[in-house]
Amino acid sequence: MKPTTTREARPDHRHDTGVRNIVLVGHTGAGKSALAENLLIAANGGGAAAGHATSTRHTDHDDGESRQRTISLTVLSTMHRGLRINLLDTPGLADFIGDLRAGLRGADAALFVVSALDGVDGFTRLLWDECAAAAMPRAIAITRLDRPRADFTSALINCQEMFGAGVLPLYLPVVSRSRPTEPTPDGQRHRLVDLLAQAGIDDTDGGTDTDTDGDGDGDGDGDGWPGRAAAARNALIEGIIAESEDESLLDQYLAGTALPTKLLLDDLETAVARGRFHPVVATAGSGPGAPGVTELLDLFTRAFPSPFEHPVPAASRPDGSSCPVPSGGPDGPLAAEVIRTTTDPYVGRVCLVRVFSGTLRPDTPVHVCGHGRAERGHPDHDEDMKIGAISHPMGRSAQQFVEMCQAGDICAVSKLTTAETGDTLSSPDAPILFEAWRMPKPQLPMAIRARTKSSEDKLSTALAQISAEDPSVTVEHNAETGQLVLWCMGEAHGDMIIDRLENRYGVAVDRMPIRVPMRETLRGPARGTGRHVKQSGGHGQYAICHIEVEPLAAGSGREFCDEVVGGAVPRQFVPSVEKGVWRQFGLGVAAGFPLVDLRVRLVDGKAHSVDSSDVAFQAAGALALKDAARAAGILLLEPVLSVCVLTPDEHVGPVTSDLAARRGRVVGIAPASDTAQAGAGGRNRTMIRAEVPETEMLRYAVDIRSLTQGIGTFSRSHLRYEPMPDHLAAEYLAARAAE
């Protein structure tokens, strides 16, 4: 047992403004969106919620995207027991980690949605570890119990194995054959029994028609259903007492005193808020009467913490100096953050804002600040602007305008024309900047070009809008290859951007093969002659130069030496030869890539008293370099990356074998907990360091997920250039020549 404390140690609720912000997390197909809709139906008069209820939904506005799977952060708002509940429904694919991280930033607690059919996938486990590192309160909803092959007990055990200690059910599902007067699609009736209130334990149907697993066979323990429920209740109470550290409740429990339900619920709130106890609720079916829906709403209002129990993110002044932490109350200084940006076809840019401190009011000036994302194509910006209307998002057809948005709540704000996702809103008199939430660097390149010449300007405007909305995409104009490259989180992310360009902005684009910027050098020393002699009436052009070229050590750069004797090349034309040589260095001599690591010596030449000129000797210098390259042969140099792969321990073998198949060299393997890059996902994971040619890494962002069941991640940085194997270089040069 942990050191005990008194119940007065719980967080203070005096400033609770009646809001709960909950992010729904789970893999695609777990039923997050369906569960969110059921929660809204139930709260909106489906027989569960008390008081007035309104349901709202904030989505993108283009019809093309709305027909696709949920691939962006969605906010749904409702009322239950006098509290506003903001549900932040996040995408279930790792490709959309940007929206998922935004949901985690805007929420105060997380509901992990797990399918009773599929269990917990690796990516969901990774997100659980991330929430654990931030001490975010978490609960679990096991969905789809009404589906064939669904098994609550197996799903619960899977959650306990994957998520660790503290995972205990608040309710046990009861499954019995449906009655003829109440037929159900699967021929079964599903309901829950409340373990804390002991409601429904003694009035089950009994016999073989009832079971907590959904298989109707019982477990053979001899105690029957009441015995199983009592064991589950005891485990639940012990878990609550252990994590809430309530000494008085422990004494009553050990003495065998009947524990009041209200007292247990109070300690349940403390245990959940501390982030170490994780209640489980099962759901089945859909509609207002679906089991588990009302129970989840009650869990949100009774056990999940208020926004004021969530610490305000770390902040500083825009110039980097320290500043006091905002109070977090509605009367404190304004401190808010843009967690999602969309473009409305009628009102322009709309920002979804989480207010952490102070009160946001319409038509008031705010300071908009965004720093630290310049490398992703988002330059630092600081400016004051006046916000427009404030509303609770009501989907595509309506908005519920409000007079204010107090600390702890989430609202939609218009007229922030230059605000981007991740920007901080604060008072113009005391501007602050929140520390940016952690965002992995996009690692999948995708080259595109406008299908028509007239669409090029529209493409630039559209990409600027998309990058402002989505900080997980980077737009790169590669000067060496001349390509426009989108760096995405994965294939689905790239498909979404292409679809958005075409359907929202009317810009058709074509995907192009990625060109990796190479380098060229010579295989050995050689001599070259450049002869530029032309006569076309009047002054002609006359320049001849002889050079010697020799390779230098890798990374040495380039050198030019003047070794002409006897004035064969007049002194005023030596810089002209050098200029021509350097220009050809940049253009390359084989595949159009720059030449590197060479020393060029000008040893001889000829000039004409009338026809020689600066231009003529520049041309002669370039021709001499080409001639030397033909004599020596070209060596194609490819970029080599330093790659760090973070993978579960059980996948180390397949990952290292795959790296070797990519012509990579593994240079180090260490437990992830020993490395600074591991972050929140270091439990039972290994960091593999390798050196891999960049040409072999173009699709690694997709392949590493396939190898590691969606858990593996990697980072990369340029290391050096190395010679490409001759057979691959020959294939590459042939392909370039064909282009």
Side-chain angles (χ1 to χ4, degrees):
M1 178 65 65
K2 301 179 181 65
T4 57
T5 60
T6 62
R7 293 184 54 191
E8 284 69 28
R10 293 175 182 159
D12 189 358
H13 294 271
R14 289 175 297 175
H15 299 296
D16 194 342
T17 56
V19 178
R20 298 294 182 267
N21 300 307
I22 300 147
V23 60
L24 305 185
V25 180
H27 66 83
T28 297
K32 298 187 304 298
S33 298
L35 176 61
E37 296 290 354
N38 287 339
L39 291 168
L40 294 182
I41 293 171
N44 201 25
H52 177 67
T54 58
S55 62
T56 64
R57 187 176 181 91
H58 180 69
T59 64
D60 288 328
H61 290 265
D62 43 288
D63 293 334
E65 290 180 28
S66 65
R67 290 191 296 266
Q68 298 182 22
R69 60 185 178 272
T70 302
I71 55 175
S72 61
L73 175 65
T74 305
V75 176
L76 307 96
S77 181
T78 189
M79 297 291 295
H80 184 69
R81 299 191 184 277
L83 296 180
R84 174 176 294 281
I85 299 175
N86 294 320
L87 299 176
L88 291 83
D89 186 10
T90 61
L93 293 175
D95 284 15
F96 304 101
I97 189 69
D99 285 316
L100 198 147
R101 292 270 166 78
L104 294 177
R105 183 61 162 245
D108 306 302
L111 179 68
F112 279 74
V113 182
V114 177
S115 170
L117 299 173
D118 305 321
V120 181
D121 71 331
F123 182 62
T124 303
R125 187 181 73 179
L126 193 65
L127 295 173
W128 180 276
D129 292 342
E130 187 172 318
C131 291
M136 175 175 278
R138 283 147 286 154
I140 301 166
I142 296 179
T143 61
R144 303 191 169 182
L145 284 179
D146 57 327
R147 301 295 181 90
R149 299 183 296 102
D151 188 336
F152 173 78
T153 300
S154 296
L156 176 63
I157 293 174
N158 180 233
C159 290
Q160 291 171 335
E161 292 174 347
M162 299 293 277
F163 296 151
V167 176
L168 292 169
L170 284 180
Y171 305 85
L172 286 183
V174 177
V175 181
S176 60
R177 287 194 291 268
S178 62
R179 298 168 180 171
T181 57
E182 301 175 358
T184 59
D186 60 351
Q188 296 178 325
R189 289 194 305 127
H190 301 264
R191 58 191 180 87
L192 303 179
V193 294
D194 188 339
L195 293 179
L196 289 184
Q198 303 186 75
I201 292 180
D202 297 323
D203 60 350
T204 60
D205 295 333
T208 60
D209 290 348
T210 302
D211 188 36
T212 58
D213 294 345
D215 55 15
D217 296 331
D219 60 5
D221 61 4
D223 294 330
W225 160 239
R228 296 195 299 273
R233 184 175 190 270
N234 289 337
L236 174 63
I237 292 175
E238 291 172 3
I240 292 175
I241 292 174
E243 299 304 336
S244 67
E245 301 177 358
D246 187 344
E247 186 175 1
S248 62
L249 189 63
L250 175 63
D251 293 339
Q252 295 180 57
Y253 178 72
L254 294 177
T257 305
L259 301 177
T261 302
K262 183 180 184 305
L263 191 60
L264 289 171
L265 288 174
D266 288 345
D267 276 58
L268 171 65
E269 177 184 5
T270 302
V272 172
R274 288 178 173 172
R276 299 192 296 258
F277 179 78
H278 316 295
V280 180
V281 177
T283 67
S286 60
V293 175
T294 302
E295 289 79 4
L296 278 173
L297 289 169
D298 288 340
L299 176 67
F300 297 160
T301 57
R302 291 173 175 171
F304 274 8
S306 75
F308 300 106
E309 297 174 48
H310 189 153
V312 177
S316 63
R317 299 294 184 195
D319 61 4
S321 60
S322 61
C323 68
V325 178
S327 66
D331 300 325
L334 177 63
E337 189 168 30
V338 179
I339 60 173
R340 174 76 171 143
T341 307
T342 59
T343 302
D344 187 287
Y346 303 106
V347 299
R349 186 168 297 185
V350 178
C351 297
L352 198 65
V353 175
R354 164 67 192 264
V355 182
F356 288 98
S357 176
T359 301
L360 198 62
R361 302 180 187 275
D363 302 317
T364 56
V366 296
H367 183 79
V368 181
C369 183
H371 285 207
R373 302 189 299 275
E375 64 177 12
R376 294 177 179 265
H378 303 269
D380 295 350
H381 52 277
D382 290 275
E383 56 186 311
D384 294 341
M385 62 181 64
K386 182 181 290 188
I387 65 174
I390 297 177
S391 63
H392 288 298
M394 306 237 353
R396 292 194 281 170
S397 59
Q399 291 178 323
Q400 180 184 359
F401 292 98
V402 294
E403 295 299 323
M404 68 178 70
C405 183
Q406 291 187 326
D409 207 350
I410 296 174
C411 64
V413 177
S414 63
K415 292 189 177 181
L416 293 178
T417 55
T418 61
E420 300 181 358
T421 300
D423 282 1
T424 304
L425 308 183
S426 56
S427 170
D429 299 329
I432 66 169
L433 174 66
F434 281 136
E435 181 181 337
W437 62 70
R438 191 169 65 90
M439 185 69 66
K441 190 174 182 179
Q443 299 287 7
L444 181 67
M446 183 175 65
I448 63 172
R449 70 179 179 187
R451 190 166 298 168
T452 62
K453 200 73 173 178
S454 60
S455 297
E456 291 182 354
D457 291 339
K458 292 173 61 178
L459 177 60
S460 298
T461 302
L463 289 177
Q465 292 273 16
I466 289 175
S467 61
E469 297 176 4
D470 186 355
S472 64
V473 62
T474 299
V475 181
E476 175 193 3
H477 296 269
N478 193 308
E480 290 193 38
T481 64
Q483 288 188 313
L484 175 62
V485 180
L486 302 181
W487 288 88
C488 311
M489 301 304 301
E491 285 186 314
H493 190 208
D495 292 341
M496 181 271 291
I497 294 174
I498 297 298
D499 183 81
R500 186 171 293 177
L501 286 171
E502 295 181 352
N503 292 320
R504 180 191 291 183
Y505 298 102
V507 181
V509 299
D510 294 320
R511 302 192 190 193
M512 307 299 295
I514 288 288
R515 298 174 184 169
V516 175
M518 305 282 191
R519 295 291 184 268
E520 301 174 11
T521 192
L522 302 190
R523 292 182 176 274
R527 293 177 59 89
T529 298
R531 179 182 178 86
H532 184 73
V533 178
K534 291 185 178 181
Q535 187 69 42
S536 58
H539 285 298
Q541 299 183 47
Y542 188 95
I544 299 175
C545 62
H546 302 281
I547 63 171
E548 294 180 355
V549 182
E550 60 179 316
L552 299 176
S556 299
R558 61 187 189 181
E559 297 180 14
F560 182 88
C561 305
D562 175 17
E563 298 182 2
V564 176
V565 295
V569 177
R571 308 276 10 122
Q572 68 269 25
F573 293 134
V574 171
S576 302
V577 176
E578 182 179 5
K579 187 175 180 181
V581 168
W582 289 156
R583 184 172 60 190
Q584 195 62 49
F585 257 70
L587 296 174
V589 292
F593 296 113
L595 281 161
V596 295
D597 302 329
L598 294 175
R599 177 184 290 122
V600 178
R601 296 198 300 271
L602 177 61
V603 295
D604 200 359
K606 291 182 180 180
H608 190 276
S609 59
V610 176
D611 292 341
S612 292
S613 65
D614 171 68
V615 174
F617 271 99
Q618 286 189 42
L623 291 172
L625 183 60
K626 289 182 178 181
D627 187 52
R630 282 192 294 268
I634 296 298
L635 195 61
L636 198 61
L637 305 178
E638 61 180 343
V640 175
L641 303 176
S642 174
V643 178
C644 296
V645 183
L646 182 63
T647 178
D649 295 344
E650 60 267 26
H651 298 299
V652 170
V655 170
T656 54
S657 298
D658 178 74
L659 290 171
R662 297 172 187 270
R663 299 189 286 125
R665 295 184 293 272
V666 176
V667 297
I669 300 177
S673 57
D674 298 339
T675 63
Q677 295 92 335
R683 182 168 61 95
N684 300 324
R685 291 176 174 81
T686 298
M687 182 70 76
I688 303 172
R689 301 182 184 276
E691 299 174 358
V692 191
E694 185 174 354
T695 53
E696 304 287 346
M697 296 293 291
L698 297 180
R699 288 185 51 82
Y700 195 65
V702 177
D703 298 336
I704 186 61
R705 290 178 187 165
S706 176
L707 284 170
T708 61
Q709 299 179 358
I711 309 177
T713 60
F714 77 104
S715 62
R716 66 184 203 168
S717 60
H718 177 77
L719 187 61
R720 61 178 175 269
Y721 284 90
E722 289 185 355
M724 178 180 280
D726 289 344
H727 69 286
L728 295 178
E731 294 175 3
Y732 186 88
L733 292 174
R736 289 284 289 175
E739 292 182 10

